Amino acid sequence: MNTQDDYQRLETIEQYFNGSLSVDEMANFENALKNDFDFSKEVSDYQKLTNMIKEITIEQNIIATLDKLEQEEPITPLKKKASFVTLFPYLSGLVAACLIFVLYASFSVIQLPGSENDLTIVRDVDVSILSPVEKKVFDSFYAGQSYLAEGQFQKAVQSFQVVLKNNNLRPYFKEATQWHLVLAYLKSGQIQEANHLYDELSSCNDCVYPIGKIDKAKLWWQIFWAKIF
């Protein structure tokens, strides 16, 4: 296949993910994936972008549905007793919103701040002048992130625990490590540890690590679900 023509390349990538390539085209595509690093990266970036768009769309639908339900006029005992037919649209909307959230929270990826851009973790630290102890701490954190991405969750737990043994961590970096450890605990099957640390972080009133409400809710749900099963 011609990976030099921008338009054709993008069209072929779209067809690949849509499953509309012929057998020969698929073979050429996969061969290009193996032998053309730039093309392989472009395909990977395209997939990340489409997945991100899907997640944003789902999040927006969830938020819009929940906002709509919150704006519904509440039913009070003083009002005439409503029939099932009257309540059905409200109940069905609530059930649909809950179902969407359950499916989304159960299977979507939890994206912690800093996972994509490690500079947000380092912030104002000049990594070129780190002491050996500080360098070990940062190296352990990044190793933990790598282990998470590679599915080596127990090693990720151990790496983040090494970081937290240091008593001089900045609050932002400490909280970042703790949230990553919650995720590592969850993925490694250490559910009670994940739940305990999650509760501890959630009760913090002066936290500075900005985990989003949606990702926080997904993390809570996946811990809750794991405790049940």
Side-chain angles (χ1 to χ4, degrees):
M1 61 176 292
N2 179 13
T3 59
Q4 301 303 314
D5 186 314
D6 290 342
Y7 178 80
Q8 180 183 347
R9 189 171 64 250
L10 178 59
E11 184 178 31
T12 303
I13 293 174
E14 291 177 347
Q15 290 174 341
Y16 172 75
F17 285 106
N18 291 334
S20 58
L21 292 178
S22 67
V23 175
D24 290 340
E25 289 172 334
M26 180 67 75
N28 291 333
F29 188 94
E30 293 178 346
N31 183 61
L33 276 179
K34 294 178 182 177
N35 300 307
D36 188 333
F37 175 79
D38 292 335
F39 178 67
S40 177
K41 186 178 185 304
E42 185 173 357
V43 172
S44 177
D45 290 343
Y46 176 89
Q47 186 174 26
K48 289 178 181 178
L49 177 61
T50 53
N51 288 340
M52 186 183 302
I53 291 173
K54 289 177 183 178
E55 289 205 6
I56 290 174
T57 301
I58 293 173
E59 288 185 13
Q60 289 175 337
N61 288 339
I62 292 172
I63 293 172
T65 302
L66 293 177
D67 286 345
K68 182 178 180 181
L69 291 175
E70 287 179 358
Q71 294 169 6
E72 292 283 344
E73 186 178 3
I75 300 172
T76 67
L78 298 178
K79 292 188 176 183
K80 182 186 287 187
K81 184 177 180 181
S83 66
F84 176 77
V85 174
T86 305
L87 290 176
F88 182 76
Y90 176 83
L91 294 175
S92 61
L94 180 60
V95 170
C98 291
L99 181 59
I100 290 172
F101 175 77
V102 167
L103 292 174
Y104 174 67
S106 298
F107 300 106
S108 62
V109 175
I110 297 169
Q111 185 68 56
L112 296 176
S115 296
E116 289 292 334
N117 182 4
D118 292 333
L119 292 177
T120 62
I121 299 298
V122 179
R123 275 190 162 182
D124 55 343
V125 175
D126 185 351
V127 294
S128 66
I129 59 173
L130 292 177
S131 69
V133 173
E134 291 172 327
K135 187 175 186 305
K136 179 181 178 181
V137 167
F138 280 105
D139 287 346
S140 295
F141 178 82
Y142 299 142
Q145 283 192 322
S146 296
Y147 287 136
L148 271 179
E150 295 165 2
Q152 301 185 58
F153 303 123
Q154 187 54 45
K155 288 186 176 181
V157 167
Q158 294 169 352
S159 293
F160 294 132
Q161 287 175 336
V162 168
V163 175
L164 294 173
K165 287 179 180 178
N166 188 294
N167 296 321
N168 298 314
L169 299 176
R170 292 175 300 120
Y172 184 93
F173 186 58
K174 180 179 179 180
E175 290 171 25
T177 305
Q178 288 174 317
W179 278 112
H180 281 78
L181 181 56
V182 171
L183 185 57
Y185 275 144
L186 171 63
K187 296 297 186 179
S188 65
Q190 300 176 66
I191 309 306
Q192 293 304 322
E193 290 83 351
N195 186 60
H196 176 75
L197 186 53
Y198 177 90
D199 288 343
E200 180 182 318
L201 291 168
S202 296
S203 62
C204 173
N205 295 320
D206 56 351
C207 292
V208 293
Y209 183 67
I211 181 171
K213 290 183 179 180
I214 293 293
D215 283 309
K216 191 174 181 180
K218 287 192 289 186
L219 192 52
W220 174 86
W221 172 256
Q222 291 184 22
I223 292 173
F224 173 77
W225 189 257
K227 285 194 297 184
I228 295 177
F229 294 96

